[in-house]
Amino acid sequence: MEDGNGTQIQYLAFNLRDPLLKDVRVRQAIACSIDRNLLIQSLLHGHAQPAVSLLPASHWAFTADVPRYDYDPARAARLLDESGHTAGSDGVRFHLTMKTSTDGDTRLLAAVLQQQLARVGIALDLRSYEFATFYSDVTREAFQIYSLRWIGGNEQPDIFSAVFSTANFSPKGYNRGHYSNARLDALLDEADQITEPARRRADYVEAQQILARDLPAINLWYRDTIVVLTAA
């Protein structure tokens, strides 16, 4: 059996219309509360790589030169304090709800995230539904947080427009969290129209930097491609 770097990406998405989640400091604090390496080891037996972009690392437009909000509970606590969400006598700052399908892997991910966020005072309430109901809620923007995977769709850079452009709010596109950034929209429009490779890449690099700072979604990991070999 051999492992290779894969392109399938697991992500955590936010509803930016929500009064709590519209504050970028709250989203950044959540990112700093998540121990991706522990998740990868415990849930995937090490068969994944931490993700820093929606694009896979082998992509021509990929960049790792982005703002980072790696696992750092102390930083998470500071960001939450700065956003005005201090802990109560029970240690809880506020509650959030994460919706999942009844898929076992997703429910296990949610349970571990619940434990990790609790350490910084965020009480994550979990709600599981049959996939059709869950996905309907996602497309109707009836959620605070959810997690899904992109399989193949993130191998082209126009994924950024489909997922994060203001013009592609759900149900027209995949911008289910209603994220909107005028600079990002302009970059993506330009990148779609020009053909010169260096300029296109520069636009997509800046787009990745904006998204890594604003965190309308958190890229968790790229699942490894596993090839099983048999001896001849």
Side-chain angles (χ1 to χ4, degrees):
M1 183 174 71
E2 295 184 357
D3 275 10
N5 292 338
T7 61
Q8 181 186 131
I9 188 169
Q10 186 85 32
Y11 66 92
L12 191 70
F14 303 115
N15 189 336
L16 273 63
R17 289 179 163 182
D18 183 83
L20 291 168
L21 295 170
K22 69 181 182 180
D23 189 329
V24 67
R25 294 168 297 183
V26 171
R27 304 194 300 274
Q28 291 167 348
I30 291 172
C32 291
S33 305
I34 298 173
D35 188 343
R36 291 175 180 79
N37 290 324
L38 178 62
L39 287 169
I40 289 169
Q41 291 303 318
S42 60
L43 303 183
L44 299 166
H45 309 290
H47 297 302
Q49 308 300 319
V52 297
S53 172
L54 189 56
L55 298 178
S58 58
H59 196 280
W60 59 266
F62 169 86
T63 182
D65 182 21
V66 297
R68 301 291 291 265
Y69 293 90
D70 297 325
Y71 180 58
D72 188 342
R75 186 183 185 188
R78 290 195 300 272
L79 285 163
L80 291 170
D81 287 341
E82 291 170 8
S83 67
H85 298 294
T86 55
S89 58
D90 59 356
V92 174
R93 298 172 187 269
F94 52 79
H95 286 253
L96 289 171
T97 297
M98 180 174 177
K99 290 188 174 182
T100 77
S101 70
T102 53
D103 171 73
D105 290 344
T106 306
R107 292 176 66 183
L108 188 56
L109 166 62
V112 178
L113 289 175
Q114 184 182 55
Q115 295 174 358
Q116 294 187 349
L117 268 60
R119 294 176 186 146
V120 298
I122 300 175
L124 189 64
D125 303 321
L126 307 181
R127 302 286 184 271
S128 295
Y129 306 90
E130 292 297 328
F131 186 81
T133 301
F134 160 70
Y135 195 70
S136 175
D137 283 354
V138 166
T139 56
R140 293 187 300 107
E141 303 141 33
F143 66 88
Q144 284 184 302
I145 301 174
Y146 73 87
S147 182
L148 279 173
R149 306 180 191 96
W150 284 109
I151 303 174
N154 63 321
E155 295 178 28
Q156 296 297 328
D158 59 4
I159 186 71
F160 291 121
S161 180
V163 178
F164 298 115
S165 170
T166 304
N168 283 320
F169 285 164
S170 182
K172 177 181 178 181
Y174 294 105
N175 190 347
R176 300 158 181 153
H178 275 244
Y179 170 73
S180 182
N181 181 299
R183 175 58 182 167
L184 181 74
D185 290 342
L187 286 168
L188 297 178
D189 286 345
E190 179 178 87
D192 186 55
Q193 295 170 16
I194 61 178
T195 58
E196 202 278 306
R199 287 182 57 198
R200 288 192 77 208
R201 185 177 189 281
D203 285 345
Y204 285 126
V205 165
E206 186 178 347
Q208 289 167 87
Q209 292 168 339
I210 291 171
L211 292 168
R213 180 196 68 224
D214 288 356
L215 290 178
I218 297 173
N219 301 304
L220 294 174
W221 59 72
Y222 310 104
R223 189 184 291 261
D224 289 346
T225 299
I226 300 175
V227 179
V228 179
L229 305 175
T230 57

